[in-house]
Amino acid sequence: GRGWRGARSAQDTATVAEVAQATPVPLVELNIGDRFDASVERVAPKGLWVNIGTEKDALWPREQGKSVMRKYKRGDIVKAVKIFELHKGGLPEKRKILVTQRPLPAEFEVDQVVVGALNAVTQFGLYFDIGASSNALWHAEALPADHPYTKKNTKVKLRITSIDGRRITVVGAHPVSDLYVGQKVSGVVRRVVKYGVFFKIGAETDALCRLRQLAKPLSQYQVGDFVDGLRVSAADAARGRIEVSTRRFASDVRPGERLEGIVLKADGAGVLFDAGLATDAWAPAADLAKPAGAHAAGDVAELTAVQVADDRVSVTTLPQA
């Protein structure tokens, strides 16, 4: 007989000696993840046909180990192959066993950072070889509109977002240092907390959008929602923190532009306003129509942009000609 019976878990490996001495194992008794030492039966264009002691030889597809396969010939022993695809029923010609030496999707973890080589560009997104038995997909709707990934085998740092059977989903895992303030990104809601929403934006860490920076009430965000129109408002590489906003940036404002502001804080030096921007607007005391102390938190005022410098807009409440 050519088969092997016994415990075949992801931790157990059937040896060649056991394979040779046992009765062939029916396909119905096999499972994804079963491991074996195999004997090469035939070298074919599509890969290696190997005997793992079952009623049917298994195929080790060439794309699962092209460079490694070159050293094998008929009769050689291949150590620790595992089943990654299995078709048990139907007509005999439809039944098949596919094996690999690569890690199975279940051996990876959500949020794990990996390096992938671009394998294919499709309407569904980008497929990457991350060293697993299945390619990982970066969905089209989660891709930045201006992504540069078009050349096959381009290496990209990725973060695993979900694992479902054989399917692995990823997004880019760019270092925080690669981001810049004002950069446009899209994101998928990962967590909703009392002070804002955390988005997966394709970086090595999630980005926080604080309550005041959201485009709609917190209760309207659900985990898994895709949100476009985000922009990076802060990227602190040293602390590994990213913040995003749905609001306009100071750089979008022009001197003389009229804004509506809500008083956040007032002191002798001036008043800080929420003018609907990613950063607060400042009105020095000299540019106020009434004393700073006469402004209360929550008051609404008509503002005019006076100066835009870096990420701050200076405003006035004085009447403008």
Side-chain angles (χ1 to χ4, degrees), residues 56-316:
K56 187 180 183 72
D57 286 339
L59 174 65
W60 183 11
R62 190 161 299 279
E63 65 269 16
Q64 292 288 322
K66 188 182 300 182
S67 60
V68 178
M69 288 181 186
R70 295 192 185 103
K71 68 180 182 180
Y72 291 106
K73 61 184 183 300
R74 189 174 188 279
D76 285 349
I77 304 305
V78 182
K79 291 286 188 179
V81 296
K82 48 200 165 185
I83 297 174
F84 75 91
E85 187 175 333
L86 184 61
H87 298 270
K88 301 180 182 182
L91 298 173
E93 60 269 22
K94 297 294 184 181
R95 299 173 194 161
K96 64 179 178 180
I97 310 167
L98 300 183
V99 296
T100 186
Q101 286 185 324
R102 289 183 164 207
L104 304 184
E107 297 175 58
F108 291 81
E109 296 180 357
V110 171
D111 282 334
Q112 182 177 344
V113 175
V114 295
V115 174
L118 182 60
N119 186 277
V121 179
T122 74
Q123 61 179 333
F124 306 108
L126 307 182
Y127 284 92
F128 290 90
D129 180 353
I130 63 170
S133 58
S134 302
N135 283 330
L137 173 63
W138 187 347
H139 283 291
E141 62 266 24
L143 281 165
D146 57 349
H147 77 83
Y149 312 120
T150 56
K151 188 176 180 181
K152 190 168 182 176
N153 293 323
T154 298
K155 297 290 194 299
V156 182
K157 194 174 183 181
L158 305 163
R159 180 163 61 86
I160 296 174
T161 58
S162 69
I163 300 171
D164 182 10
R166 293 183 58 198
R167 292 190 291 273
I168 303 173
T169 304
V170 295
V171 293
H174 302 296
V176 177
S177 57
D178 282 357
L179 301 173
Y180 58 87
V181 172
Q183 182 175 348
K184 294 180 180 180
V185 296
S186 55
V188 176
V189 176
R190 181 169 175 77
R191 281 189 296 146
V192 179
V193 295
K194 62 182 180 181
Y195 51 87
V197 176
F198 281 93
F199 290 97
K200 294 181 286 189
I201 64 166
E204 59 189 345
T205 189
D206 294 333
L208 171 64
C209 189
R210 297 185 182 275
L211 281 176
R212 282 201 294 122
Q213 303 295 322
L214 294 169
K216 56 187 181 181
L218 188 65
S219 60
Q220 294 185 24
Y221 289 90
Q222 302 294 323
V223 173
D225 287 351
F226 175 76
V227 179
D228 204 359
L230 301 172
R231 293 173 72 182
V232 176
S233 56
D236 187 337
R239 301 170 72 185
R241 294 182 180 178
I242 307 168
E243 292 195 24
V244 292
S245 176
T246 63
R247 293 182 164 194
R248 297 174 65 204
F249 274 53
S251 57
D252 299 325
V253 178
R254 296 292 177 261
E257 184 175 340
R258 301 295 178 90
L259 305 166
E260 184 177 86
I262 299 173
V263 176
L264 297 174
K265 180 182 177 182
D267 58 29
V271 178
L272 197 64
F273 290 96
D274 177 355
L277 306 174
T279 51
D280 299 327
W282 172 250
D287 285 328
L288 294 171
K290 59 183 181 180
H295 294 77
D299 286 352
V300 178
E302 294 297 323
L303 310 174
T304 302
V306 176
Q307 184 179 18
V308 179
D310 297 326
D311 62 348
R312 176 61 62 86
V313 177
S314 295
V315 297
T316 180

